[in-house]
Amino acid sequence: MPTDRQSGSSPIIRFFKSLYLSNRLFIGLALCVLALFVCFVFEHYLFVVLVGIGVGCVFLLMDIITLYMQSRGIQASRSCPDRLSNGDVNTVSLSVTNRYPFRIGIDIVEEVPFQFQKRNLTFKTHLGVDRSEVLYYDLRPTERGVYRFGAVNVYVSGLLGLVSRRYIFDVGKEVAVYPSFIEMRKYELLAASHRLTDYGIKKIRRIGHATEFDQIKHYVAGDDPRTINYKATARINQLMVNTYQEEKSQPVYCVIDKGRTMKMPFNGMTLLDHAINSTLMVCSTALNKGDKAGLITFSKDIDEILPADKQRRQRNKILETLYAQKTDFKEADYERLYVTVRRKLSQRSLIILYTNFETVKGMRRQLKYLGHMAKDHLVLVAFFLNSEFNEVLDTTPANMEEMFRKGMAEKLSNDKFLIVKELNRYGIHTILSKPENLTIDSMNKYLEFKSRGLI
């Protein structure tokens, strides 16, 4: 159904608000004015010019009548999912159908949410009688929240193209931008088709047998001879081997630092949103592996604690919890985090902490609390490598200012690797990753821990 923003106004007002004059009409008016000026010199042409103006007025009236003779000459709609995936390309479609008994020209002006800062999203096309067309465009949101679309403005040109009529459709549609669920579904599809290496997931060889016993079966070529069960073999006089399965139901907690260090932008998104997207993927992977996934978010206070669980609804709980995260980027309180972990996490768990240490001194202020957590849990600290340093490091300084900038970039870059070494000395595992690679690096690390039997 077409709508009008001035639905309460009178029909005459609505008529004039929907009527637009085309450039072709203004050109015709300019020619008429020029012809009237010429008639001051050649007066005997005045009658011909007046007849021409009269014919033009008749054509204008016919063009208006043909456009307004049908109340619903155009049908249009916007097809957009109720949820958009943050940081991913989301496709939106516009469908237009011609109900006029003649071919029309169409200009569409789409009003996307202001967060995208797109003011010129327009489409031009022509439609024959009873013909439809679907137009597509892409949107890439970079922050979570509610986005509000404006109207789909459709301007229809008549047979002569002298005037246009505006139709308004789908005003005020709201959509929610959630963490990157498109990437999560993509991973699940690749996992189902055994193509995870296309996504960047490494094939990690299982070392040892730090797994749960599954069953005894007959030996077949290719089985590990070390798994032969000699008692069962002697009992039935055939080679029998033990089979194992990965340990399941292990708690995996993603802990997200929402402090000031996570406000740094990269590729249009904050480091916090990169961490949130990675958390969703890691939790989904853990649930697919049969482990229990949980979530803790903190900054100055502990904001959210979602206990680890492996039930089917846990994935949706994690998605909704991540969507609702808000922060003012205050200083993160690691002491409060340590106290909470000690009280709430009674079972040994894998804790993946997403944070961002820029300096060694900044890390050392929190090292005491991280070391205490590492005594009771398997702690993995994931923080970010500033890829913009590479651009500075690859340049040749031309003056003292550029030399100073390059020196600072080298120091900060080296500090990142010193942080890794010092954390490893205290038995804390680390991921130093570029923001765009954080998800893959985190999943590979989790799968490595599973294969080594560390959790």
Side-chain angles (χ1 to χ4, degrees), residues 78-332:
R78 176 196 298 117
S79 179
C80 176
D82 293 331
R83 294 180 178 181
L84 299 181
S85 181
N86 192 26
D88 299 322
V89 175
N90 301 261
T91 301
V92 182
S93 64
L94 300 174
S95 176
V96 187
T97 303
N98 177 22
R99 300 301 183 193
Y100 284 102
F102 51 85
R103 180 180 174 84
I104 58 173
I106 293 177
D107 291 338
I108 301 176
V109 178
E110 168 70 310
E111 298 177 2
V112 298
F114 71 89
Q115 290 93 336
F116 296 105
Q117 293 298 301
K118 289 188 176 182
R119 302 285 190 267
N120 57 345
L121 190 57
T122 59
F123 304 90
K124 293 180 180 292
T125 186
H126 290 82
L127 286 179
V129 180
D130 290 329
R131 302 288 294 183
S132 299
E133 186 170 347
V134 181
L135 307 169
Y136 298 91
Y137 66 93
D138 295 328
L139 295 176
R140 181 182 177 270
T142 55
E143 57 180 305
R144 290 164 290 113
V146 177
Y147 286 45
R148 183 182 178 88
F149 282 86
V152 179
N153 299 280
V154 181
Y155 298 86
V156 181
S157 301
L159 286 170
L160 304 176
L162 300 177
V163 294
S164 297
R165 178 183 178 181
R166 182 181 69 172
Y167 291 87
I168 300 176
F169 300 89
D170 289 352
V171 180
K173 178 180 176 60
E174 290 186 349
V175 298
V177 175
Y178 276 73
S180 182
F181 58 86
I182 288 181
E183 288 296 306
M184 180 182 69
R185 292 172 181 169
K186 180 180 178 182
Y187 163 75
E188 291 175 347
L189 289 173
L190 290 173
S193 58
H194 305 287
R195 295 175 53 209
L196 288 178
T197 52
D198 296 349
Y199 195 80
I201 307 300
K202 299 177 182 177
K203 289 184 177 180
I204 301 175
R205 182 172 61 91
R206 181 177 290 109
I207 302 174
H209 295 294
T211 50
E212 294 180 346
F213 175 78
D214 185 19
Q215 62 178 346
I216 301 174
K217 72 177 186 67
H218 289 280
Y219 175 86
V220 295
D223 283 341
D224 190 346
R226 294 174 298 176
T227 63
I228 294 176
N229 188 317
Y230 292 98
K231 290 184 179 180
T233 300
R235 189 180 305 118
I236 66 172
N237 201 26
Q238 289 184 1
L239 278 178
M240 305 295 292
V241 293
N242 296 331
T243 59
Y244 300 86
Q245 62 180 358
E246 290 181 335
E247 295 183 10
K248 298 182 178 180
S249 299
Q250 305 301 311
V252 178
Y253 278 89
C254 289
V255 181
I256 302 177
D257 177 359
K258 301 195 299 181
R260 62 177 180 81
T261 59
M262 300 292 281
K263 192 176 183 179
M264 185 182 299
F266 178 83
N267 198 18
M269 297 169 57
T270 63
L271 297 183
L272 174 61
D273 280 313
H274 283 287
I276 286 175
N277 287 347
S278 177
T279 295
L280 181 63
M281 291 286 288
V282 171
C283 289
S284 177
T285 304
L287 292 171
N288 291 336
K289 286 286 186 179
D291 285 334
K292 295 184 288 187
L295 178 66
I296 299 175
T297 64
F298 77 104
S299 57
K300 185 178 180 181
D301 300 307
I302 303 298
D303 296 326
E304 195 75 43
I305 301 177
L306 182 62
D309 202 340
K310 64 175 183 179
Q311 297 182 5
R312 295 181 60 182
R313 62 176 180 270
Q314 184 73 357
R315 184 179 281 103
N316 191 57
K317 283 184 178 180
I318 292 172
L319 181 62
E320 294 293 339
T321 302
L322 291 174
Y323 165 72
Q325 293 306 304
K326 296 180 180 179
T327 181
D328 50 10
F329 295 104
K330 292 183 178 179
E331 189 70 28

Side-chain angles (χ1 to χ4, degrees), residues 357-368:
F357 293 128
E358 287 293 337
T359 63
V360 177
K361 289 183 178 180
M363 180 274 298
R364 285 174 178 166
R365 288 197 297 268
Q366 319 301 345
L367 184 57
K368 177 176 65 174

